Amino acid sequence: MSANPWDCIIIGAGAAGLSAARQLSRNGKRVLVLEARDRVGGRTYTQTAQCGMPVDVGGQWLGPGQNRALALAAELELSLWPQPQHGRNLLRLRGKLSSFSGNVPALSLFSLLDLQINIWRLEAMARRILAEAPHNSAQAADWDRITFAQWMHRHVRSRRTRAMFHAATHAVLATEPEEISMLQFLFYLRSAGGLIPLISAEGGAQEQRIRGGAQQLSEGLASMARSRGAQIRLATPVRQIDQDEDGVNVITDSGTERAQRVVIAMAPSQAANLEFAPGLPTQRRQLMQRMPMGSVIKVILIYDKPFWREAGLSGEMVCDEAPLRMTFDSTPPDSEQGALVGFILGAEAARWSEQPKAIRRGEICRQLTGYFGKAAGHPIEYIEKDWCDDPFAQGCYVGLMAPGVMSRLGHVIREPVGRIHWAGTETATEWNGYIEGAIQSGERVAREVMQVL
Amino acid sequence: MSANPWDCIIIGAGAAGLSAARQLSRNGKRVLVLEARDRVGGRTYTQTAQCGMPVDVGGQWLGPGQNRALALAAELELSLWPQPQHGRNLLRLRGKLSSFSGNVPALSLFSLLDLQINIWRLEAMARRILAEAPHNSAQAADWDRITFAQWMHRHVRSRRTRAMFHAATHAVLATEPEEISMLQFLFYLRSAGGLIPLISAEGGAQEQRIRGGAQQLSEGLASMARSRGAQIRLATPVRQIDQDEDGVNVITDSGTERAQRVVIAMAPSQAANLEFAPGLPTQRRQLMQRMPMGSVIKVILIYDKPFWREAGLSGEMVCDEAPLRMTFDSTPPDSEQGALVGFILGAEAARWSEQPKAIRRGEICRQLTGYFGKAAGHPIEYIEKDWCDDPFAQGCYVGLMAPGVMSRLGHVIREPVGRIHWAGTETATEWNGYIEGAIQSGERVAREVMQVL
């Protein structure tokens, strides 16, 4: 059929690239996956603590509606653990520490009403976004003129409610609301089915954890692809992609590979570092130049026991202070030790990224002592992953768009360029930015490539 | 003094890098300049038309207040030609073509008042920007929350006035007002002394042309640096910069060079393509990830004579149509032929960049025929430079900032990272974005490096 050694070369061995590899190899295609890192999994990454506890320093949770990821976990016979929910949550906003049970935060009636009204507003707006083509939504131009911060400024009355939305933006997009277009914010909500599913544990995106860690999803996909003949080469960064009439050459430091088609399953800002011949179309290049990554440092603190439970606390904390903006209980059900997972997010992450680890650790222990008591200051292990300085991600969770970008350039996000096809969670129409979106994008791109092979 | 073969390696042989090279070599330092292109000049580039006319397809004009560039031109004994000003200017806004003489556009009294009032407002705001540290200006946070388009939406009443400001944004920054932070817009004005100097020919940034072309400024700087012993290597793209305790290694495809210090005189988004060991601080990397280039295609049409003059027209045209948004007379005083220079700008440039040259040429001739008459449709030569797809610029004129970027990350723009120093017009405090700014940045970085050598 073709003289080229590979049917498809996939660049990037995260959940997106490996889903594509699995689908294509299952359909009898000769697939080569090239990955710059020395591991698969991309923005999921499971490490093992000294005490033996597996800890996810990248993507961690699954939830209802993430059907592809849940099905994959079931297929791989991975156990799911519910996110611990018992006990009172902590909220510290504008200097005031309070605690509450369940989903209704400790706000005044006025702030709560303000919160509820504006969540309704946002969800109603999000329903009017076209998930397949947000740039063509009826009000795309208007919503792409402002940032989410400006929308808040106009619509949210209570300062504490505003702080809640600020925290939600940090939690969900790892950026400041001042930097993200309202259109991308609404699209993000739309692709997940609303704001509540994004910020909730029970019934939402943080409902389930994977026993043994989320990276197993990618490892499982890699095994399935390999068993159908796909080759996966780690530690092989791609430098250049040259298209000609008969195929594509993919150039790495260790040689050139040739295929019928190429799938780029990388974050757009990372793909911008590749060289292309012929050059990519201008709007494609401009889009990749205009999707900087969010900012997050993920921290896991392991204690000899989950001491907060004795005080009736859930381990869940949201605040407007530094360094950590939020924590959750991350203790495995079968563990004696307790674990808290915390996040430094947005502008704070970029600043704290430049500090030595010991300073970050010290400040975090000091901060958590103020919320959870003395025991919080004495973890037996401190593990962190600064995604801001990860050389192959340059930030997390996803590529962000400032005002004007999505309405002007959003139409090229999945548009193939000759023999080059695009995957990655940023190209997803469902659960954009999540593991689920990565898998969706990989399956979609595999269908796209199958049609032309 | 030092065992390293070079005192300073400068990356980029535009006006910024070569100004630094000249100053450092003049002070007895051993300087190596590495340039990816096969020519010096960066974003200035003079070609020769078939008829022998030199044409600037990049930066072209000088004006009062650009004292370093004017002094350099004088030192190099370059002749300056005034930008032709005689005759009536054309204005086509919202479907209506009108003509006017002098600086007062053909607008209704209401629109003119609206225009004047808002120019005053903008200039008053710009005066309150700290040129050396715009992120520390008293209202930096407020002004960095909105785009210039939003400010217009709030303050500019007349639609035709808004169209004028839109045209000014295109002309001055090669971007849509919807994509640029108000804070960067005001800083840009501040660094040039106001909006009027930026948009004016007489008394402004478009007052003078350089006989023989603007690239001669860089060529002259290169000669002066070479005469003091500096080496300049063209077609030598840098891949990686490794710092250690005793020096810096600069790695190119043709080998490694070592120096005490390195100056990076590139647009920030281009510097983002280099690899650094150790990695750059997070905020520096985030800034480079968040300064996408503007979009411009510059077009020169040469006619057998400057036919528009016979009709009493100046050749200057501003419109809200496509492809060209503006033209100027670019006829050399000593030429029989006439030349019009035109600009495709912002979103239109990105779109038209993806069309074949013949289609662009055809549409431009059709468009100009509508404004200047039949003769405009028959140029004897058509020359264009699409800066959007220039591999070493990826856009022009300058790196742009969306809301939130300058207030959060602006403080790192000139901050050295170990042995690495930063130049380029984006780092200038005077005439940021202009040749003058490039020279200022080169002289500043040379002083900075002298202090530590």
Side-chain angles (χ1 to χ4, degrees), chain B residues 126-149:
Chain B
R127 277 192 295 274
R128 292 155 77 184
I129 296 281
L130 304 172
E132 313 282 326
H135 50 280
N136 285 339
S137 309
Q139 284 160 279
D142 290 339
W143 291 339
D144 208 26
R145 261 189 212 114
I146 56 172
T147 62
F148 178 52

Side-chain angles (χ1 to χ4, degrees), chain B residues 19 58 75 97 110-111 122 125 158 198 203 209 239 285 291-292 296 333 349 353 385 434 445-446:
Chain B
S19 294
E75 200 178 348
L97 183 67
F110 171 67
S111 295
L122 288 168
M125 292 164 82
S158 144
L198 282 173
R209 299 170 291 160
R239 304 294 175 191
R285 279 182 293 109
M291 288 187 74
V296 56
S353 168
K385 170 69 183 168
Y434 287 74
V445 87

Side-chain angles (χ1 to χ4, degrees), chain A residues 29-108:
Chain A
K29 300 303 172 192
R30 299 158 303 159
V31 173
L32 172 65
V33 181
L34 299 174
E35 165 60 49
R37 303 177 190 274
D38 57 7
R39 61 172 180 83
V40 301
R43 293 173 248 175
T44 60
Y45 185 16
T46 308
Q47 298 183 346
T48 305
Q50 280 168 20
C51 66
M53 188 191 292
V55 292
D56 273 316
V57 298
Q60 173 171 11
W61 287 285
L62 302 182
Q66 300 182 350
N67 297 328
R68 295 171 189 86
L70 290 169
L72 176 62
E75 200 177 347
L76 296 170
E77 298 181 355
L78 300 175
S79 306
L80 297 185
W81 284 333
Q83 171 60 30
Q85 294 278 334
H86 301 294
R88 297 179 69 77
N89 305 318
L90 294 180
L91 181 66
R92 186 175 172 93
L93 292 183
R94 306 175 60 78
K96 196 180 143 198
L97 182 67
S98 51
S99 71
F100 63 95
S101 302
N103 289 323
V104 183
L107 297 175
S108 70

Side-chain angles (χ1 to χ4, degrees), chain B residues 7-11 20 24 241 243 248 260-266 271 276 280 284 412-424 427 441 444-453:
Chain B
D7 290 313
C8 188
I9 295 174
I10 294 166
I11 306 174
L24 288 169
I241 299 174
Q243 299 193 58
V248 200
Q260 291 289 97
R261 296 276 158 174
V262 162
V263 167
I264 299 186
M266 301 162 71
F276 294 89
L280 296 177
R284 173 81 221 172
V412 304
I413 190 113
R414 287 182 296 277
E415 198 172 287
V417 177
R419 294 171 177 274
I420 301 173
H421 301 258
W422 308 96
T427 69
S441 81
R444 185 262 312 151
V445 87
R447 285 193 302 276
E448 206 175 280
V449 169
M450 285 303 298
Q451 283 176 357
V452 289
L453 274 182

Side-chain angles (χ1 to χ4, degrees), chain A residues 208-330:
Chain A
Q208 307 276 354
R209 299 170 291 159
I210 298 171
R211 179 181 183 166
Q215 196 183 348
Q216 292 173 104
L217 294 172
S218 289
E219 286 161 351
L221 287 166
S223 298
M224 293 191 282
R226 276 200 199 95
S227 73
R228 299 292 190 137
Q231 272 195 36
I232 301 171
R233 283 189 211 150
L234 303 179
T236 310
V238 168
R239 303 296 174 191
Q240 192 169 333
I241 298 174
D242 293 356
Q243 299 193 58
D244 55 53
E245 277 196 10
D246 306 314
V248 202
N249 288 330
V250 176
I251 301 165
T252 73
D253 292 342
S254 50
T256 296
E257 296 288 340
R258 188 169 170 84
Q260 290 290 95
R261 297 276 158 173
V262 162
V263 167
I264 299 186
M266 301 162 70
S269 63
Q270 288 304 101
N273 293 333
L274 304 177
E275 287 186 38
F276 293 88
L280 296 177
T282 297
Q283 295 184 92
R284 173 81 222 171
R285 278 184 292 108
Q286 290 203 344
L287 180 69
M288 302 192 309
Q289 236 188 28
R290 284 163 172 79
M291 288 187 73
M293 301 298 283
S295 313
V296 55
I297 304 172
K298 192 173 181 185
V299 172
I300 293 96
L301 299 113
I302 301 179
Y303 299 93
D304 51 16
K305 58 178 181 180
F307 64 87
W308 52 92
R309 294 182 183 174
E310 293 164 13
L313 296 174
S314 68
E316 186 173 329
M317 177 282 293
V318 170
C319 73
D320 55 6
E321 296 179 330
L324 297 182
R325 282 292 155 97
M326 63 188 65
T327 62
F328 299 94
D329 189 328
S330 198

